[in-house]
PDB file of all heavy atoms in Angstrom:
ATOM      1  N   VAL B 107      42.799  41.598 -41.177  1.00  0.00           N
ATOM      2  CA  VAL B 107      41.506  41.380 -40.515  1.00  0.00           C
ATOM      3  C   VAL B 107      41.563  41.902 -39.082  1.00  0.00           C
ATOM      4  O   VAL B 107      42.440  41.506 -38.315  1.00  0.00           O
ATOM      5  CB  VAL B 107      41.143  39.881 -40.518  1.00  0.00           C
ATOM      6  CG1 VAL B 107      39.893  39.644 -39.673  1.00  0.00           C
ATOM      7  CG2 VAL B 107      40.925  39.398 -41.936  1.00  0.00           C
ATOM      8  N   PRO B 108      40.673  42.817 -38.712  1.00  0.00           N
ATOM      9  CA  PRO B 108      40.692  43.369 -37.353  1.00  0.00           C
ATOM     10  C   PRO B 108      40.033  42.405 -36.369  1.00  0.00           C
ATOM     11  O   PRO B 108      38.842  42.489 -36.116  1.00  0.00           O
ATOM     12  CB  PRO B 108      39.879  44.664 -37.485  1.00  0.00           C
ATOM     13  CG  PRO B 108      38.962  44.421 -38.650  1.00  0.00           C
ATOM     14  CD  PRO B 108      39.589  43.388 -39.533  1.00  0.00           C
ATOM     15  N   GLY B 109      40.825  41.488 -35.849  1.00  0.00           N
ATOM     16  CA  GLY B 109      40.260  40.538 -34.890  1.00  0.00           C
ATOM     17  C   GLY B 109      41.187  39.351 -34.733  1.00  0.00           C
ATOM     18  O   GLY B 109      42.353  39.402 -35.125  1.00  0.00           O
ATOM     19  N   GLU B 110      40.668  38.313 -34.124  1.00  0.00           N
ATOM     20  CA  GLU B 110      41.468  37.120 -33.853  1.00  0.00           C
ATOM     21  C   GLU B 110      41.105  36.002 -34.828  1.00  0.00           C
ATOM     22  O   GLU B 110      39.944  35.861 -35.213  1.00  0.00           O
ATOM     23  CB  GLU B 110      41.204  36.643 -32.420  1.00  0.00           C
ATOM     24  CG  GLU B 110      41.685  37.611 -31.361  1.00  0.00           C
ATOM     25  CD  GLU B 110      43.210  37.701 -31.306  1.00  0.00           C
ATOM     26  OE1 GLU B 110      43.889  36.725 -31.699  1.00  0.00           O
ATOM     27  OE2 GLU B 110      43.721  38.765 -30.881  1.00  0.00           O
ATOM     28  N   ILE B 111      42.116  35.220 -35.190  1.00  0.00           N
ATOM     29  CA  ILE B 111      41.907  34.170 -36.170  1.00  0.00           C
ATOM     30  C   ILE B 111      42.391  32.837 -35.604  1.00  0.00           C
ATOM     31  O   ILE B 111      43.430  32.784 -34.949  1.00  0.00           O
ATOM     32  CB  ILE B 111      42.692  34.486 -37.466  1.00  0.00           C
ATOM     33  CG1 ILE B 111      42.194  35.821 -38.021  1.00  0.00           C
ATOM     34  CG2 ILE B 111      42.529  33.369 -38.499  1.00  0.00           C
ATOM     35  CD1 ILE B 111      43.033  36.360 -39.141  1.00  0.00           C
ATOM     36  N   GLY B 112      41.602  31.805 -35.817  1.00  0.00           N
ATOM     37  CA  GLY B 112      42.023  30.505 -35.320  1.00  0.00           C
ATOM     38  C   GLY B 112      41.604  29.385 -36.254  1.00  0.00           C
ATOM     39  O   GLY B 112      40.605  29.507 -36.954  1.00  0.00           O
ATOM     40  N   PRO B 113      42.353  28.285 -36.235  1.00  0.00           N
ATOM     41  CA  PRO B 113      42.025  27.170 -37.114  1.00  0.00           C
ATOM     42  C   PRO B 113      40.989  26.253 -36.464  1.00  0.00           C
ATOM     43  O   PRO B 113      40.804  26.277 -35.246  1.00  0.00           O
ATOM     44  CB  PRO B 113      43.359  26.447 -37.252  1.00  0.00           C
ATOM     45  CG  PRO B 113      44.034  26.685 -35.935  1.00  0.00           C
ATOM     46  CD  PRO B 113      43.555  28.019 -35.423  1.00  0.00           C
ATOM     47  N   GLY B 114      40.320  25.494 -37.263  1.00  0.00           N
ATOM     48  CA  GLY B 114      39.360  24.553 -36.710  1.00  0.00           C
ATOM     49  C   GLY B 114      39.107  23.427 -37.689  1.00  0.00           C
ATOM     50  O   GLY B 114      39.452  23.520 -38.865  1.00  0.00           O
ATOM     51  N   VAL B 115      38.535  22.374 -37.155  1.00  0.00           N
ATOM     52  CA  VAL B 115      38.151  21.262 -38.020  1.00  0.00           C
ATOM     53  C   VAL B 115      36.686  20.982 -37.729  1.00  0.00           C
ATOM     54  O   VAL B 115      36.289  20.872 -36.571  1.00  0.00           O
ATOM     55  CB  VAL B 115      38.983  19.999 -37.726  1.00  0.00           C
ATOM     56  CG1 VAL B 115      38.540  18.866 -38.638  1.00  0.00           C
ATOM     57  CG2 VAL B 115      40.462  20.286 -37.914  1.00  0.00           C
ATOM     58  N   ILE B 116      35.911  20.905 -38.781  1.00  0.00           N
ATOM     59  CA  ILE B 116      34.489  20.631 -38.586  1.00  0.00           C
ATOM     60  C   ILE B 116      34.151  19.306 -39.232  1.00  0.00           C
ATOM     61  O   ILE B 116      34.550  19.049 -40.369  1.00  0.00           O
ATOM     62  CB  ILE B 116      33.635  21.766 -39.179  1.00  0.00           C
ATOM     63  CG1 ILE B 116      33.448  22.834 -38.107  1.00  0.00           C
ATOM     64  CG2 ILE B 116      32.326  21.254 -39.688  1.00  0.00           C
ATOM     65  CD1 ILE B 116      32.309  23.750 -38.354  1.00  0.00           C
ATOM     66  N   THR B 117      33.489  18.494 -38.487  1.00  0.00           N
ATOM     67  CA  THR B 117      33.125  17.176 -38.996  1.00  0.00           C
ATOM     68  C   THR B 117      31.705  16.852 -38.576  1.00  0.00           C
ATOM     69  O   THR B 117      31.287  17.243 -37.477  1.00  0.00           O
ATOM     70  CB  THR B 117      34.012  16.078 -38.365  1.00  0.00           C
ATOM     71  OG1 THR B 117      35.353  16.503 -38.427  1.00  0.00           O
ATOM     72  CG2 THR B 117      33.842  14.759 -39.085  1.00  0.00           C
ATOM     73  N   ARG B 118      30.989  16.203 -39.454  1.00  0.00           N
ATOM     74  CA  ARG B 118      29.686  15.695 -39.022  1.00  0.00           C
ATOM     75  C   ARG B 118      29.867  14.276 -38.532  1.00  0.00           C
ATOM     76  O   ARG B 118      30.670  13.529 -39.078  1.00  0.00           O
ATOM     77  CB  ARG B 118      28.702  15.683 -40.179  1.00  0.00           C
ATOM     78  CG  ARG B 118      28.446  17.050 -40.656  1.00  0.00           C
ATOM     79  CD  ARG B 118      27.049  17.306 -41.108  1.00  0.00           C
ATOM     80  NE  ARG B 118      27.031  18.694 -41.551  1.00  0.00           N
ATOM     81  CZ  ARG B 118      26.937  19.701 -40.706  1.00  0.00           C
ATOM     82  NH1 ARG B 118      26.786  19.497 -39.410  1.00  0.00           N
ATOM     83  NH2 ARG B 118      26.974  20.931 -41.151  1.00  0.00           N
TER      84      ARG B 118
END
Side-chain angles (χ1 to χ4, degrees):
Chain B
V107 173
E110 294 291 334
I111 300 170
V115 179
I116 272 199
T117 313
R118 296 216 181 280

